[in-house]
Short mmCIF file of all heavy atoms in Angstrom, two decimals:
data_model
loop_
_atom_site.label_atom_id
_atom_site.label_comp_id
_atom_site.label_asym_id
_atom_site.label_seq_id
_atom_site.Cartn_x
_atom_site.Cartn_y
_atom_site.Cartn_z
N GLU S 100 -21.78 13.54 -18.31
CA GLU S 100 -21.65 14.82 -18.95
C GLU S 100 -21.06 15.78 -17.96
O GLU S 100 -21.14 15.59 -16.75
CB GLU S 100 -23.05 15.35 -19.37
CG GLU S 100 -23.72 14.48 -20.39
CD GLU S 100 -24.51 15.29 -21.39
OE1 GLU S 100 -25.20 16.20 -20.94
OE2 GLU S 100 -24.42 14.96 -22.60
N CYS S 101 -20.45 16.89 -18.44
CA CYS S 101 -19.85 17.85 -17.53
C CYS S 101 -20.20 19.24 -17.97
O CYS S 101 -20.16 19.55 -19.17
CB CYS S 101 -18.33 17.66 -17.54
SG CYS S 101 -17.50 18.75 -16.39
N TYR S 102 -20.58 20.06 -17.03
CA TYR S 102 -21.09 21.38 -17.37
C TYR S 102 -20.15 22.52 -17.01
O TYR S 102 -20.43 23.67 -17.06
CB TYR S 102 -22.50 21.61 -16.78
CG TYR S 102 -23.47 20.62 -17.41
CD1 TYR S 102 -23.76 19.38 -16.84
CD2 TYR S 102 -24.00 20.95 -18.69
CE1 TYR S 102 -24.59 18.51 -17.47
CE2 TYR S 102 -24.87 20.04 -19.31
CZ TYR S 102 -25.12 18.83 -18.70
OH TYR S 102 -25.96 17.92 -19.32
N SER S 103 -18.91 22.13 -16.64
CA SER S 103 -17.82 23.13 -16.43
C SER S 103 -17.04 23.26 -17.72
O SER S 103 -17.27 22.49 -18.63
CB SER S 103 -16.92 22.69 -15.28
OG SER S 103 -17.70 22.54 -14.12
N PRO S 105 -14.58 22.53 -20.56
CA PRO S 105 -13.94 21.24 -20.83
C PRO S 105 -12.46 21.27 -20.51
O PRO S 105 -11.78 22.30 -20.60
CB PRO S 105 -14.16 21.07 -22.32
CG PRO S 105 -14.60 22.36 -22.87
CD PRO S 105 -15.15 23.21 -21.72
N CYS S 109 -13.13 16.89 -17.12
CA CYS S 109 -14.45 17.42 -17.52
C CYS S 109 -14.67 17.25 -19.02
O CYS S 109 -14.30 18.16 -19.78
CB CYS S 109 -14.57 18.87 -17.08
SG CYS S 109 -16.19 19.59 -17.41
N ASN S 110 -15.20 16.10 -19.42
CA ASN S 110 -15.48 15.87 -20.80
C ASN S 110 -16.79 15.15 -20.90
O ASN S 110 -17.23 14.49 -19.99
CB ASN S 110 -14.42 14.96 -21.47
CG ASN S 110 -13.07 15.72 -21.54
OD1 ASN S 110 -12.86 16.49 -22.44
ND2 ASN S 110 -12.16 15.40 -20.62
N ASN S 111 -17.55 15.35 -21.96
CA ASN S 111 -18.78 14.67 -22.19
C ASN S 111 -18.54 13.25 -22.73
O ASN S 111 -17.51 12.95 -23.25
CB ASN S 111 -19.67 15.44 -23.15
CG ASN S 111 -20.35 16.61 -22.47
OD1 ASN S 111 -20.53 16.61 -21.21
ND2 ASN S 111 -20.85 17.58 -23.25
C1 LIG Y 528 -21.58 18.66 -22.64
O1 LIG Y 528 -22.80 18.68 -23.34
C2 LIG Y 528 -23.70 19.68 -22.82
C3 LIG Y 528 -25.01 19.52 -23.53
O2 LIG Y 528 -24.83 19.29 -24.91
C4 LIG Y 528 -23.09 21.04 -22.97
O3 LIG Y 528 -23.95 22.01 -22.40
C5 LIG Y 528 -21.77 21.08 -22.24
O4 LIG Y 528 -21.09 22.31 -22.39
C6 LIG Y 528 -20.84 19.99 -22.64
N1 LIG Y 528 -19.69 19.93 -21.80
C7 LIG Y 528 -18.42 19.86 -22.20
C8 LIG Y 528 -17.35 19.77 -21.18
O5 LIG Y 528 -18.09 19.83 -23.39
#
Side-chain angles (χ1 to χ4, degrees):
E100 296 217 317
C101 183
Y102 295 94
S103 300
C109 184
N110 292 282
N111 279 340

